[in-house]
Amino acid sequence: MKLISIGCSFLYGYYKRGEGCNKDYSAGYHLSNMMGRDWLNESDCGIGNDLICERLITSHQSNKINPKDTFVLIGWTEAFRKKIFVNDKVYIDFRPPVTLSDKGLYNIKDKSLYSEYFMNSNQMYYDFLKSILTSYYLLENYGYKYFMFDSINTMHDGSHNLLDDYTIGKEWIPQEFVNVKNEIKNYSKLNYFNYLKELEKNNDFPYCSKEDLHPNQYGAKSFAKKLYKEINKW
C-alpha cells in the first residue's frame, strides 16, 4: 500500500537552502507512516499546479500508482507558477515577478511572460481551476482515495495579499468551474502556510524555517496529524 504526495516544496521535504530533500520535513512522509503506507514523493521545489496535475496523470498512466493500493495527497500551490517553454528551453518552476522591473528567477527578456500575463488574476484562477478539475475527474473516474488542500494561498499577488478580482462569466471563468471546485468534498480548508504561521505565533517551539516558513520535522509532523484527523472524517 502506498501514499503519493504531490505538491511544491512544502510537501517535497525542503526546509532551507542547501539542505536538499529530507523526508522528515515532509508532511506526506509523516502521514504515510500514520496510515501504514509506503511513501512515494512526486513533489518538487517551486513547481506550479499545472505540473502537480501533470505528475498525477503521468504517475497514473505509467502504473506508478493505481487506485487499488494508492492514496493520493495533493497540496496545491501559488497559481501563478508555471511550466513554460521559451524557444529551446523549458522551465518547470517558472515564477514570474510581481512587477515588470523585477526580473524574477529567470532573466527572460520577453516581458509578455511576466506580470502582464501570468500575474493577471483571471488567468491565474482560470489555469488553477483547470488543474484542479482535471485532477479531480481523473481521481474520481478511476476510484482513487485522495485528499487535497492548499499548501500556500493559491491566489495572491506574490506577497501573500489575497486576490479575488476575477470575472465570472461565459467568456471569462465559467461559474460551473467554480461550482465543481467548491463541491469537492475531499478538498480541505486546511492551509499549510497559514497553519505554520499560527504555530510560530502561538508557540516558542520552532516548527518552521524563520527564512521562509518552510516546515521542519516538527511542523511537518504536526500538520500531518491535522491531515490524518481530517482524512478520517470522510
Side-chain angles (χ1 to χ4, degrees):
M1 301 293 282
K2 293 179 287 191
L3 181 148
I4 184 173
S5 55
I6 316 175
C8 63
S9 55
F10 276 75
L11 274 184
Y12 173 69
Y14 169 90
Y15 175 52
K16 59 184 178 181
R17 291 184 180 90
E19 288 202 355
C21 176
N22 186 324
K23 64 183 181 181
D24 282 327
Y25 301 154
S26 173
Y29 167 70
H30 291 291
L31 181 63
S32 70
N33 287 339
M34 294 172 192
M35 298 179 72
R37 293 172 178 265
D38 295 327
W39 182 49
L40 179 59
N41 187 12
E42 282 297 319
S43 301
D44 217 336
C45 291
I47 65 173
N49 296 315
D50 55 349
L51 199 54
I52 291 172
C53 178
E54 175 190 311
R55 290 193 176 181
L56 171 64
I57 294 171
T58 55
S59 295
H60 169 78
Q61 196 64 28
S62 64
N63 295 316
K64 185 180 290 185
I65 62 172
N66 68 77
K68 293 182 179 179
D69 75 351
T70 310
F71 185 92
V72 178
L73 180 70
I74 296 178
W76 299 112
T77 189
E78 297 168 322
F80 49 79
R81 297 182 184 184
K82 305 287 179 185
K83 174 181 176 179
I84 66 169
F85 306 89
V86 181
N87 298 322
D88 59 346
K89 294 183 178 180
V90 58
Y91 302 89
I92 69 167
D93 56 354
F94 177 75
R95 186 185 191 277
V98 179
T99 65
L100 291 176
S101 61
D102 176 11
K103 292 182 179 180
L105 293 177
Y106 305 109
N107 187 13
I108 299 174
K109 295 179 180 179
D110 186 352
K111 289 186 176 181
S112 67
L113 296 173
Y114 286 55
S115 301
E116 296 168 343
Y117 175 72
F118 284 132
M119 294 303 292
N120 182 290
S121 56
N122 281 295
Q123 188 68 57
M124 288 164 61
Y125 198 46
Y126 181 61
D127 291 343
F128 177 43
L129 287 172
K130 287 190 294 182
S131 294
I132 291 175
L133 269 57
T134 300
S135 301
Y136 168 67
Y137 285 124
L138 182 150
L139 293 165
E140 287 287 331
N141 182 62
Y142 287 98
Y144 277 96
K145 293 181 180 179
Y146 66 93
F147 196 74
M148 302 178 182
F149 64 95
D150 292 342
S151 287
I152 311 176
N153 293 321
T154 56
M155 288 292 292
H156 72 86
D157 63 358
S159 300
H160 293 280
N161 299 306
L162 296 182
L163 295 172
D164 61 1
D165 56 342
Y166 44 83
T167 302
I168 302 297
K170 186 176 180 180
E171 301 300 326
W172 289 84
I173 297 174
Q175 182 65 55
E176 291 83 355
F177 278 28
V178 180
N179 291 345
V180 172
K181 174 186 178 292
N182 292 340
E183 291 167 6
I184 300 175
K185 65 181 180 68
N186 300 43
Y187 195 149
S188 173
K189 293 182 179 179
L190 287 173
N191 182 299
Y192 201 174
F193 181 82
N194 293 338
Y195 176 74
L196 292 170
K197 282 201 303 183
E198 285 299 310
L199 282 180
E200 284 295 293
K201 184 171 70 174
N202 298 325
N203 296 277
D204 294 328
F205 190 75
Y207 285 93
C208 57
S209 163
K210 299 295 183 184
E211 182 180 87
D212 52 15
L213 283 181
H214 278 84
N216 58 22
Q217 64 268 41
Y218 307 111
K221 193 167 187 177
S222 179
F223 190 69
K225 289 178 180 177
K226 294 286 288 187
L227 291 173
Y228 186 71
K229 185 176 180 180
E230 286 280 312
I231 290 166
N232 283 329
K233 290 179 181 178
W234 305 113

